[in-house]
Amino acid sequence: VSGREHPSPTEGSKGAPDASVTPGAQSFPLDERAIKGLREAGRQWPQASGHREALQDALPVDPALEFTPHERHRSARFIHVTSARPRKDEDLEATPAGEEGESKADHVAYRLRRAVIGPPLRSTAVAAERMGKALALPVLSPDALSSVAYGPEAMMSILVLAGAAELRLSLILGAVIVLLMLAVGMGYRQVIKAYPHGGGSYIVASDTLGPVWGLIAGAGLTVDYIVTVAVSVASGVAAVTSAIPSLTSATVPIGLAMIVLLVAGNLRGAREAGAMFAAPTYMFIVAIFLVVIAGLLKSAGHSFHAVAPVPHAATEGLGVLLIMRAFSSGATAMTGIEVISNAVPVFQPPAAENARRTLSIMIALLVSMFIGVVLVAHFDGASPGGGQTVLSQIAHRSVGGGVLYGYVQLATTLVLLIAANSAFNGFPRLLYFMARDRFAPQAFLHMGDRLAFTSGIVVLAIPAALLYAAFGGRTDPLIPLFAVGVFVAFTLAQSAMVVHWVRNRGPGWRQGLAINLLGAVLSALVAVIAAITKFTSGAWVVVIVIPALVFVCRRIRRHYQMASDALSPRPVSPQDELQGICRPPTAHDIKRHAHARAGGEAGHASHLVIVPIATLDLAALRSLSYAASLSLPMLALHVSPSDEEAERFERYWREWGDHLPLEVISSPYRATLAPILNYIEALHQEHPEVTITVVVPELVVARAWHRLLHNRIAVRLHRALSHNEGIIVTSVPFQLPG
Amino acid sequence: VSGREHPSPTEGSKGAPDASVTPGAQSFPLDERAIKGLREAGRQWPQASGHREALQDALPVDPALEFTPHERHRSARFIHVTSARPRKDEDLEATPAGEEGESKADHVAYRLRRAVIGPPLRSTAVAAERMGKALALPVLSPDALSSVAYGPEAMMSILVLAGAAELRLSLILGAVIVLLMLAVGMGYRQVIKAYPHGGGSYIVASDTLGPVWGLIAGAGLTVDYIVTVAVSVASGVAAVTSAIPSLTSATVPIGLAMIVLLVAGNLRGAREAGAMFAAPTYMFIVAIFLVVIAGLLKSAGHSFHAVAPVPHAATEGLGVLLIMRAFSSGATAMTGIEVISNAVPVFQPPAAENARRTLSIMIALLVSMFIGVVLVAHFDGASPGGGQTVLSQIAHRSVGGGVLYGYVQLATTLVLLIAANSAFNGFPRLLYFMARDRFAPQAFLHMGDRLAFTSGIVVLAIPAALLYAAFGGRTDPLIPLFAVGVFVAFTLAQSAMVVHWVRNRGPGWRQGLAINLLGAVLSALVAVIAAITKFTSGAWVVVIVIPALVFVCRRIRRHYQMASDALSPRPVSPQDELQGICRPPTAHDIKRHAHARAGGEAGHASHLVIVPIATLDLAALRSLSYAASLSLPMLALHVSPSDEEAERFERYWREWGDHLPLEVISSPYRATLAPILNYIEALHQEHPEVTITVVVPELVVARAWHRLLHNRIAVRLHRALSHNEGIIVTSVPFQLPG
């Protein structure tokens, strides 16, 4: 049983889960039981009236940093703002400059970082980072649209194995794929309708079918996102190197440089990354329509008589297996359809409405471009192979070899490259949702100072770059890794919608049910076909990786669950009592406090104990108890990424009893470590005669890999503060179960 | 200027430096200035009479661990012993069992370790680990004697390049080398005479010529020791694989296994490693004499008419350069002559006398074996090449192909392998001396629980294994790395002796001067010849490595000097006063102590602050001040590897003023971390209601590589104690200058 309330997929069926991202998601709210525990733990503290106020008065420093002499100097790192929170009306706010180090090298690094990724954005700018339809379409659709450049060709290159004459089957298979596109696309329109706050395959499957199915969908998408980046970069680079053959030997470095560029672009944040990539998508749409319309007009001149393709000897007989292989290869043209339903909250309000419209436009574009390419290729008698892509062949016939041809090739190259960007949009969001459900490390909940999911972007780029480099930048061997994951995700999302309609039966549920059932059956069929026909050529990797990822996610969840249970506030246990360090101070300790205060006022160099606290959990309470039992002037410190979080923390603090002085620093740029360091160092510089002891709760994990799941702020604080001789760091260990 | 007195080479000329190794060498004594600083710092503490005794009475635990209920249980980790030290008559002593962990896996690992390297040895057993002449000869001579197996051949394989007829020059060159052996050997006899407490090239050159020359000699020997291990193992394995050709593909793994065996043998300690290797050396001496005598008798049958060697076409003309190359190759037969003078203290008393006699015996053996092999090879017309070693050729002719031949080959193989062992004897001692002079990391001063220099043994094995593996286990390409380093060391040692005689003019100084001057000139000649003639084939590496090592050693020394200056006790400075943490407690604090004590007696769960201290330096004083200023019951803790060290520490403690309760644990097996952990955990288990705060001085280094130069006990204690929830670790940082 969970010790805290959090949007677990097992609890999700109570209502539609929230698919928006919020900067404060790293600190989980406490559930009722934990709040009760907090209240009871607080009641055991001695209730001397006015004690907290006395403690506040005894502080040898001014916690609000309102010393005048150095204000101008320190104001670079903190400013005073008027707060709307009930507790008080003035507040310390960390400035972005606080993240800049003190040395010359730090200064240069900070400036460089700002130059590359732009100025920091406040948490409240999340809403402003939303996109209109005209921007959302080119940002979210390149993954789907660009597959027109390789989907038909992948299909035809299988068909041609049975002889050039069988290429005519591409019309029939193309029609089936278009049907599939419409079914799946309409299915995702239903998803947006049912989950108006957003919800990709992971959220929808978790919510309706249960967490394991959600994880399977999530794992499938994870594989797909990584392969998408590798394949898109590989085909983009291939287009460049076929234009400039002298660059061929530099295939891998060029691709890696492009991945770095994508990372940098995405670290700037979704909106700017979109703006960088909007133009090429529109260029590509125009290019394909240009080729298709010119091609059809030419064919109309020949009364739509198809040119016979270049003869090609059959190497395989035309059997069911070959047709199925061709079909599943062609179905790679469908990757990326789910991106929009995943990303509803990035749309400007009304988000769901805008997302549905954008999805419809995208499906319409995808279907017409796909039909057009398949048709024109048929009429032109285009045939895969011969050192030219099918798209290049029909472009040549439609628009000749001049400027227009160059434009088509350039647009294709660019759109393939930025198709990878869809993955950089989608994957960090997927990891965010999985981390919110505690199936992934909490680091993926953190939004960087540009509101981008730094960790998720990096975690996508590294395996994609490795995959790309491992295959030497070649596209072909990566294709079989492609289809299985994405169609597993499609199947689960559509199946979840079927269950959803059966359960909820809202208006128009029969129609929705029919659409999603068709989508589910067709998607499942493609997934099975792809897994079977491509098993030996690479799909087996995916078949192993998906269960492995599900296993790892469940282990992560189990650890967080144990940690949460262990940390959930509860009245002090006899065990804690025995260990003496969780025991609240006694009336006697309070007298000692008074004594210490008297000593402090007598002019001696005095002590200050600072307890930085992220969450008011058992580890924090233990640190507070220890610090209080030292009978020295003390101050608790909390850094909050948003006003809502600050308010919530102060509410918990009051529930506990408000026994100790507390200073809340708001950090609108979401840094945690830097404000704590700057605050402590500011106090130290102002009062070097005060010995500052920083008491930090330290989670001690039972296994090394568990360290990846916690932010290890104790270790980082220790390292950063050890360069300051007047500041002493004390770790209060809290052992997590194995 | 140094803040502490330590046997610096720059100060050494005041008297012969001590070349014996002592287990307590890791804690340096304080110099007069530091003791004065300590005394002044102590005077600033409040002089309330009876305060320390009151503090001792206020302890919530019994520092001597004399609680009865669990004594049997804990007695596994500590025992009470009667101490002869002035402070008190009973003492806690750490047992070897204290190093064993608590888990099943730890238990197995500990048993395995004991099975491999033997039971732990007490520090007082150092004297017992000494060798008689009959054991010292085979332990220290294989490096020198085994070179008879490859030295003559290396010389002849150069001569034969000028045609087989020129092999007769080997008699002349051999005579020159014998002269060189006698000169250098007698020179080292003088070294032992002048440095009766031991002193290899490093100590002698440092002491007389200055530290840089000592470092050059040390660096030369370092290269030589590493190459010796690689070459000896390579030629030993080659002998095995030429006997059993099917093992050839496993050359590298076999050699690495042999290096592991050598490491294990040496970790058991010098005496046992020697016993393991004594028999093969004697076998080899017998084998060579057998071959030589039988060969000479056969030649006598032919009236000493030399058989003409197999004709060999000349590929180079006979020039001065070729003769010099042949000479410097033959001179590799001299490697290892210095080992005995380096290791005087491992001899049983009278050590110098025994060492000189052993050296004389070794030189006599070496010279006669070398002459014998060269002569017999000449008479037999042996010629290098043809898939057989020269030694194998003459053995065949002398003793036929039967059992005796097999014996000769086996003995040669074994002695080559154990020649590597001389390096494992010599190199860790060299590093110990360099570390004592602060030119190498202090870790090399630590003797493991078998009194072996664990770090030195490992640091020799790793580069030797890498070198061996990098050259695929082949001997030839390693030979050019060989001669330069060792002859540089010879030259410096002999030159130092020349300076020594000129300065001191003791009895027989003229004769000594003549011998050493001859040795110096000849050695220098060989070093220059080797460097020039082998420069392009590998000697350039040595020419680069030696200055690089000297540079690194000087940087290390500079860091330690800075650290020592920074840490040297001195009266509290205004800066420390400002930072508040080095300020001694005030009379007011003492009153608070009394108050806290009253609280503790009132039955509340109470605190205990433990301050582990290695050296009474400024970092330690700062930790003590901080701990005392908390006004909680406290106890300082010192772990001492030997009684002398314990006595010295307690003397410093009294100089400082004996202001606080102190517990000294003697650790006769030289572990530091384990006794501290066991002591704290024993107190915690006995009094779980007491919150134990461990205040550890933490040296904060300015550069990452400086971490290698300190033992980082704060970090290790923190890591080990964090698994204990009732124990809190506080680090008091002490910043070392960059």
Side-chain angles (χ1 to χ4, degrees), chain A residues 1-4 31-38 565 568-570:
Chain A
V1 279
S2 163
R4 304 190 190 182
D31 64 13
E32 262 318 307
R33 193 168 135 263
I35 291 176
K36 192 157 158 273
L38 200 55
D565 289 348
S568 180
R570 54 181 183 261

Side-chain angles (χ1 to χ4, degrees), chain A residues 227-245:
Chain A
V227 178
T228 295
V229 172
V231 166
S232 300
V233 169
S235 42
V237 175
V240 170
T241 54
S242 57
I244 314 170

